[in-house]
Amino acid sequence: SEPYSRLAMAYYLQGEMEQAENALDRGMKIHPSSYSFYMTAGQIFEKSERWDRALTAYQNALEISPDSREPLLAIERISGPR
């Protein structure tokens, strides 16, 4: 999952969100149980204001690691008023 999250972040930083999403989608299929991958995906989607995708990514991270506060805080942050 690490190569896909790095690739997605590189695309995101270059402003190529469609390519970033493609890399994230590929990574999710290959590594569906990677907490760090879903957190990175959530952050990229959140920064891109893709709230629905960010929420799903953070929820997946929380399912993988239910004792982690980071995805819970992210879900609360994006679920509140913007």
Side-chain angles (χ1 to χ4, degrees):
S1 66
E2 190 70 26
Y4 285 103
S5 58
R6 286 184 184 171
L7 181 61
M9 185 60 77
Y11 282 131
Y12 168 76
L13 293 173
Q14 293 175 355
E16 298 182 31
M17 194 57 209
E18 185 176 339
Q19 295 286 14
E21 284 191 43
N22 289 338
L24 292 171
D25 289 338
R26 285 192 306 269
M28 287 178 201
K29 290 177 184 171
I30 293 171
H31 300 285
S33 60
S34 172
Y35 170 83
S36 62
F37 181 80
Y38 281 111
M39 287 305 298
T40 299
Q43 292 163 359
I44 291 172
F45 288 130
E46 183 177 354
K47 289 176 184 176
S48 302
E49 298 183 353
R50 297 290 308 271
W51 310 117
D52 56 336
R53 301 271 335 245
L55 181 61
T56 299
Y58 290 137
Q59 288 171 334
N60 286 335
L62 188 60
E63 286 180 21
I64 293 165
S65 181
D67 295 329
S68 179
R69 284 183 43 85
E70 191 176 0
L72 185 59
L73 293 172
I75 290 167
E76 290 174 359
R77 182 177 59 245
I78 65 173
S79 297
R82 293 189 263 292

